[in-house]
mmCIF file of all heavy atoms in Angstrom:
data_model
loop_
_atom_site.group_PDB
_atom_site.id
_atom_site.type_symbol
_atom_site.label_atom_id
_atom_site.label_comp_id
_atom_site.label_asym_id
_atom_site.label_seq_id
_atom_site.Cartn_x
_atom_site.Cartn_y
_atom_site.Cartn_z
ATOM 1 N N ILE S 1 117.915 112.969 113.935
ATOM 2 C CA ILE S 1 117.647 113.009 115.377
ATOM 3 C C ILE S 1 118.217 114.278 116.001
ATOM 4 O O ILE S 1 117.547 114.958 116.786
ATOM 5 C CB ILE S 1 118.245 111.762 116.059
ATOM 6 C CG1 ILE S 1 117.510 110.498 115.587
ATOM 7 C CG2 ILE S 1 118.148 111.884 117.579
ATOM 8 C CD1 ILE S 1 118.138 109.209 116.065
ATOM 9 N N LEU S 2 119.448 114.614 115.654
ATOM 10 C CA LEU S 2 120.107 115.774 116.260
ATOM 11 C C LEU S 2 119.408 117.081 115.915
ATOM 12 O O LEU S 2 119.443 118.037 116.704
ATOM 13 C CB LEU S 2 121.565 115.837 115.798
ATOM 14 C CG LEU S 2 122.493 114.732 116.329
ATOM 15 C CD1 LEU S 2 123.846 114.787 115.633
ATOM 16 C CD2 LEU S 2 122.664 114.855 117.842
ATOM 17 N N ASN S 3 118.767 117.133 114.746
ATOM 18 C CA ASN S 3 118.156 118.383 114.299
ATOM 19 C C ASN S 3 116.631 118.347 114.328
ATOM 20 O O ASN S 3 115.987 119.292 113.861
ATOM 21 C CB ASN S 3 118.631 118.716 112.881
ATOM 22 C CG ASN S 3 120.119 119.025 112.831
ATOM 23 O OD1 ASN S 3 120.550 120.136 113.120
ATOM 24 N ND2 ASN S 3 120.912 118.017 112.476
ATOM 25 N N GLY S 4 116.063 117.271 114.864
ATOM 26 C CA GLY S 4 114.614 117.198 115.002
ATOM 27 C C GLY S 4 113.860 117.211 113.689
ATOM 28 O O GLY S 4 112.758 117.763 113.599
ATOM 29 N N ILE S 5 114.425 116.604 112.660
ATOM 30 C CA ILE S 5 113.789 116.566 111.342
ATOM 31 C C ILE S 5 112.847 115.371 111.272
ATOM 32 O O ILE S 5 113.202 114.265 111.705
ATOM 33 C CB ILE S 5 114.853 116.470 110.231
ATOM 34 C CG1 ILE S 5 115.817 117.657 110.326
ATOM 35 C CG2 ILE S 5 114.206 116.415 108.861
ATOM 36 C CD1 ILE S 5 116.993 117.556 109.382
ATOM 37 N N SER S 6 111.679 115.561 110.713
ATOM 38 C CA SER S 6 110.717 114.468 110.600
ATOM 39 C C SER S 6 111.200 113.440 109.582
ATOM 40 O O SER S 6 111.929 113.769 108.631
ATOM 41 C CB SER S 6 109.346 114.997 110.182
ATOM 42 O OG SER S 6 109.386 115.515 108.869
ATOM 43 N N SER S 7 110.786 112.203 109.783
ATOM 44 C CA SER S 7 111.225 111.122 108.890
ATOM 45 C C SER S 7 110.769 111.344 107.457
ATOM 46 O O SER S 7 111.492 111.036 106.505
ATOM 47 C CB SER S 7 110.688 109.780 109.408
ATOM 48 O OG SER S 7 111.227 109.473 110.684
ATOM 49 N N ALA S 8 109.563 111.891 107.280
ATOM 50 C CA ALA S 8 109.025 112.097 105.929
ATOM 51 C C ALA S 8 109.912 113.027 105.115
ATOM 52 O O ALA S 8 110.122 112.814 103.913
ATOM 53 C CB ALA S 8 107.610 112.650 106.009
ATOM 54 N N LYS S 9 110.448 114.063 105.757
ATOM 55 C CA LYS S 9 111.285 115.022 105.043
ATOM 56 C C LYS S 9 112.621 114.416 104.610
ATOM 57 O O LYS S 9 113.310 114.985 103.764
ATOM 58 C CB LYS S 9 111.530 116.248 105.923
ATOM 59 C CG LYS S 9 110.272 117.082 106.179
ATOM 60 C CD LYS S 9 110.586 118.293 107.032
ATOM 61 C CE LYS S 9 109.337 119.134 107.271
ATOM 62 N NZ LYS S 9 109.602 120.324 108.121
ATOM 63 N N VAL S 10 112.967 113.286 105.199
ATOM 64 C CA VAL S 10 114.219 112.618 104.842
ATOM 65 C C VAL S 10 113.965 111.469 103.874
ATOM 66 O O VAL S 10 114.672 111.309 102.877
ATOM 67 C CB VAL S 10 114.922 112.090 106.113
ATOM 68 C CG1 VAL S 10 116.165 111.296 105.742
ATOM 69 C CG2 VAL S 10 115.293 113.243 107.037
ATOM 70 N N VAL S 11 112.938 110.684 104.157
ATOM 71 C CA VAL S 11 112.681 109.479 103.376
ATOM 72 C C VAL S 11 112.207 109.800 101.962
ATOM 73 O O VAL S 11 112.672 109.190 100.984
ATOM 74 C CB VAL S 11 111.650 108.582 104.095
ATOM 75 C CG1 VAL S 11 111.241 107.413 103.208
ATOM 76 C CG2 VAL S 11 112.222 108.073 105.416
ATOM 77 N N VAL S 12 111.294 110.749 101.837
ATOM 78 C CA VAL S 12 110.723 111.062 100.518
ATOM 79 C C VAL S 12 111.795 111.486 99.519
ATOM 80 O O VAL S 12 111.843 110.967 98.389
ATOM 81 C CB VAL S 12 109.617 112.128 100.640
ATOM 82 C CG1 VAL S 12 109.170 112.596 99.253
ATOM 83 C CG2 VAL S 12 108.426 111.571 101.414
ATOM 84 N N PRO S 13 112.700 112.416 99.857
ATOM 85 C CA PRO S 13 113.757 112.771 98.897
ATOM 86 C C PRO S 13 114.650 111.591 98.528
ATOM 87 O O PRO S 13 115.087 111.474 97.368
ATOM 88 C CB PRO S 13 114.556 113.858 99.628
ATOM 89 C CG PRO S 13 113.589 114.448 100.600
ATOM 90 C CD PRO S 13 112.744 113.298 101.045
ATOM 91 N N ILE S 14 114.941 110.704 99.504
ATOM 92 C CA ILE S 14 115.780 109.543 99.207
ATOM 93 C C ILE S 14 115.077 108.612 98.222
ATOM 94 O O ILE S 14 115.690 108.089 97.288
ATOM 95 C CB ILE S 14 116.133 108.790 100.509
ATOM 96 C CG1 ILE S 14 117.039 109.656 101.391
ATOM 97 C CG2 ILE S 14 116.825 107.470 100.193
ATOM 98 C CD1 ILE S 14 117.387 109.026 102.714
ATOM 99 N N LEU S 15 113.779 108.417 98.423
ATOM 100 C CA LEU S 15 113.023 107.570 97.510
ATOM 101 C C LEU S 15 112.981 108.162 96.106
ATOM 102 O O LEU S 15 113.104 107.442 95.105
ATOM 103 C CB LEU S 15 111.603 107.366 98.043
ATOM 104 C CG LEU S 15 111.482 106.529 99.330
ATOM 105 C CD1 LEU S 15 110.039 106.482 99.791
ATOM 106 C CD2 LEU S 15 112.015 105.111 99.100
ATOM 107 N N LEU S 16 112.819 109.478 96.024
ATOM 108 C CA LEU S 16 112.811 110.136 94.717
ATOM 109 C C LEU S 16 114.170 109.999 94.034
ATOM 110 O O LEU S 16 114.245 109.731 92.829
ATOM 111 C CB LEU S 16 112.445 111.615 94.878
ATOM 112 C CG LEU S 16 110.998 111.912 95.307
ATOM 113 C CD1 LEU S 16 110.808 113.403 95.542
ATOM 114 C CD2 LEU S 16 110.017 111.409 94.251
ATOM 115 N N LEU S 17 115.241 110.177 94.801
ATOM 116 C CA LEU S 17 116.588 110.020 94.257
ATOM 117 C C LEU S 17 116.812 108.581 93.795
ATOM 118 O O LEU S 17 117.432 108.341 92.747
ATOM 119 C CB LEU S 17 117.628 110.417 95.299
ATOM 120 C CG LEU S 17 119.102 110.298 94.881
ATOM 121 C CD1 LEU S 17 119.387 111.132 93.643
ATOM 122 C CD2 LEU S 17 120.019 110.712 96.033
ATOM 123 N N SER S 18 116.290 107.622 94.570
ATOM 124 C CA SER S 18 116.414 106.215 94.186
ATOM 125 C C SER S 18 115.724 105.959 92.855
ATOM 126 O O SER S 18 116.253 105.244 91.996
ATOM 127 C CB SER S 18 115.818 105.313 95.273
ATOM 128 O OG SER S 18 116.485 105.469 96.499
ATOM 129 N N ALA S 19 114.527 106.529 92.694
ATOM 130 C CA ALA S 19 113.785 106.349 91.442
ATOM 131 C C ALA S 19 114.553 106.913 90.251
ATOM 132 O O ALA S 19 114.568 106.323 89.166
ATOM 133 C CB ALA S 19 112.414 107.012 91.554
ATOM 134 N N ILE S 20 115.202 108.045 90.466
ATOM 135 C CA ILE S 20 115.995 108.651 89.389
ATOM 136 C C ILE S 20 117.185 107.766 89.036
ATOM 137 O O ILE S 20 117.488 107.523 87.858
ATOM 138 C CB ILE S 20 116.470 110.059 89.801
ATOM 139 C CG1 ILE S 20 115.260 111.000 89.957
ATOM 140 C CG2 ILE S 20 117.453 110.619 88.778
ATOM 141 C CD1 ILE S 20 115.610 112.352 90.546
ATOM 142 N N LEU S 21 117.871 107.256 90.061
ATOM 143 C CA LEU S 21 119.043 106.406 89.819
ATOM 144 C C LEU S 21 118.649 105.101 89.138
ATOM 145 O O LEU S 21 119.404 104.570 88.319
ATOM 146 C CB LEU S 21 119.761 106.119 91.148
ATOM 147 C CG LEU S 21 120.443 107.315 91.810
ATOM 148 C CD1 LEU S 21 121.022 106.917 93.158
ATOM 149 C CD2 LEU S 21 121.537 107.878 90.914
ATOM 150 N N VAL S 22 117.474 104.566 89.491
ATOM 151 C CA VAL S 22 116.998 103.335 88.861
ATOM 152 C C VAL S 22 116.879 103.511 87.349
ATOM 153 O O VAL S 22 117.165 102.594 86.571
ATOM 154 C CB VAL S 22 115.640 102.904 89.465
ATOM 155 C CG1 VAL S 22 114.954 101.863 88.580
ATOM 156 C CG2 VAL S 22 115.831 102.345 90.867
ATOM 157 N N ALA S 23 116.483 104.695 86.931
ATOM 158 C CA ALA S 23 116.305 104.959 85.497
ATOM 159 C C ALA S 23 117.632 104.946 84.741
ATOM 160 O O ALA S 23 117.647 104.693 83.533
ATOM 161 C CB ALA S 23 115.607 106.302 85.308
ATOM 162 N N PHE S 24 118.731 105.206 85.444
ATOM 163 C CA PHE S 24 120.031 105.298 84.772
ATOM 164 C C PHE S 24 120.933 104.095 85.031
ATOM 165 O O PHE S 24 121.877 103.862 84.288
ATOM 166 C CB PHE S 24 120.759 106.568 85.227
ATOM 167 C CG PHE S 24 120.121 107.841 84.751
ATOM 168 C CD1 PHE S 24 119.236 108.536 85.560
ATOM 169 C CD2 PHE S 24 120.378 108.342 83.479
ATOM 170 C CE1 PHE S 24 118.631 109.707 85.130
ATOM 171 C CE2 PHE S 24 119.783 109.507 83.038
ATOM 172 C CZ PHE S 24 118.903 110.193 83.850
ATOM 173 N N ALA S 25 120.650 103.342 86.081
ATOM 174 C CA ALA S 25 121.507 102.212 86.432
ATOM 175 C C ALA S 25 121.220 101.002 85.545
ATOM 176 O O ALA S 25 120.095 100.826 85.070
ATOM 177 C CB ALA S 25 121.301 101.831 87.896
ATOM 178 N N PRO S 26 122.218 100.158 85.284
ATOM 179 C CA PRO S 26 121.984 98.914 84.546
ATOM 180 C C PRO S 26 120.938 98.064 85.254
ATOM 181 O O PRO S 26 120.891 98.034 86.487
ATOM 182 C CB PRO S 26 123.363 98.234 84.558
ATOM 183 C CG PRO S 26 124.333 99.354 84.735
ATOM 184 C CD PRO S 26 123.642 100.347 85.611
ATOM 185 N N GLU S 27 120.126 97.370 84.498
ATOM 186 C CA GLU S 27 118.995 96.644 85.069
ATOM 187 C C GLU S 27 119.420 95.616 86.105
ATOM 188 O O GLU S 27 118.734 95.422 87.108
ATOM 189 C CB GLU S 27 118.213 95.954 83.950
ATOM 190 C CG GLU S 27 116.926 95.296 84.428
ATOM 191 C CD GLU S 27 116.117 94.741 83.292
ATOM 192 O OE1 GLU S 27 116.481 94.983 82.117
ATOM 193 O OE2 GLU S 27 115.113 94.058 83.558
ATOM 194 N N GLU S 28 120.552 94.952 85.872
ATOM 195 C CA GLU S 28 120.973 93.915 86.811
ATOM 196 C C GLU S 28 121.330 94.489 88.174
ATOM 197 O O GLU S 28 121.200 93.813 89.200
ATOM 198 C CB GLU S 28 122.169 93.129 86.256
ATOM 199 C CG GLU S 28 123.425 93.943 86.004
ATOM 200 C CD GLU S 28 123.484 94.511 84.597
ATOM 201 O OE1 GLU S 28 122.417 94.611 83.952
ATOM 202 O OE2 GLU S 28 124.589 94.854 84.144
ATOM 203 N N PHE S 29 121.758 95.740 88.212
ATOM 204 C CA PHE S 29 122.124 96.349 89.479
ATOM 205 C C PHE S 29 120.905 96.787 90.288
ATOM 206 O O PHE S 29 121.007 96.980 91.501
ATOM 207 C CB PHE S 29 123.051 97.552 89.256
ATOM 208 C CG PHE S 29 124.494 97.176 89.128
ATOM 209 C CD1 PHE S 29 125.038 96.863 87.901
ATOM 210 C CD2 PHE S 29 125.312 97.124 90.245
ATOM 211 C CE1 PHE S 29 126.373 96.514 87.768
ATOM 212 C CE2 PHE S 29 126.649 96.784 90.138
ATOM 213 C CZ PHE S 29 127.183 96.463 88.885
ATOM 214 N N VAL S 30 119.767 96.961 89.638
ATOM 215 C CA VAL S 30 118.562 97.387 90.349
ATOM 216 C C VAL S 30 118.120 96.306 91.325
ATOM 217 O O VAL S 30 117.880 96.558 92.511
ATOM 218 C CB VAL S 30 117.431 97.717 89.354
ATOM 219 C CG1 VAL S 30 116.149 98.062 90.119
ATOM 220 C CG2 VAL S 30 117.838 98.873 88.447
ATOM 221 N N GLY S 31 118.014 95.077 90.825
ATOM 222 C CA GLY S 31 117.632 93.975 91.706
ATOM 223 C C GLY S 31 118.655 93.736 92.797
ATOM 224 O O GLY S 31 118.300 93.488 93.955
ATOM 225 N N ILE S 32 119.935 93.809 92.435
ATOM 226 C CA ILE S 32 120.997 93.605 93.422
ATOM 227 C C ILE S 32 120.925 94.663 94.516
ATOM 228 O O ILE S 32 121.100 94.364 95.706
ATOM 229 C CB ILE S 32 122.375 93.641 92.731
ATOM 230 C CG1 ILE S 32 122.526 92.438 91.794
ATOM 231 C CG2 ILE S 32 123.500 93.650 93.758
ATOM 232 C CD1 ILE S 32 123.771 92.486 90.932
ATOM 233 N N ALA S 33 120.655 95.911 94.136
ATOM 234 C CA ALA S 33 120.602 97.006 95.107
ATOM 235 C C ALA S 33 119.533 96.763 96.160
ATOM 236 O O ALA S 33 119.778 96.922 97.369
ATOM 237 C CB ALA S 33 120.345 98.330 94.380
#
């Protein structure tokens, strides 16, 4: 909000990072997360 950044520029990288972490995290933690 303070820097006028669009939501897409924030959400997409977070989703990509989440996908990467899912590949390395124990399976039981994926559902819990």
Side-chain angles (χ1 to χ4, degrees):
I1 294 173
L2 291 171
N3 294 278
I5 302 173
S6 67
S7 297
K9 292 181 179 179
V10 175
V11 173
V12 172
I14 293 177
L15 292 176
L16 291 175
L17 180 58
S18 299
I20 295 172
L21 292 176
V22 165
F24 291 96
E27 186 175 353
E28 62 269 20
F29 275 89
V30 176
I32 293 172

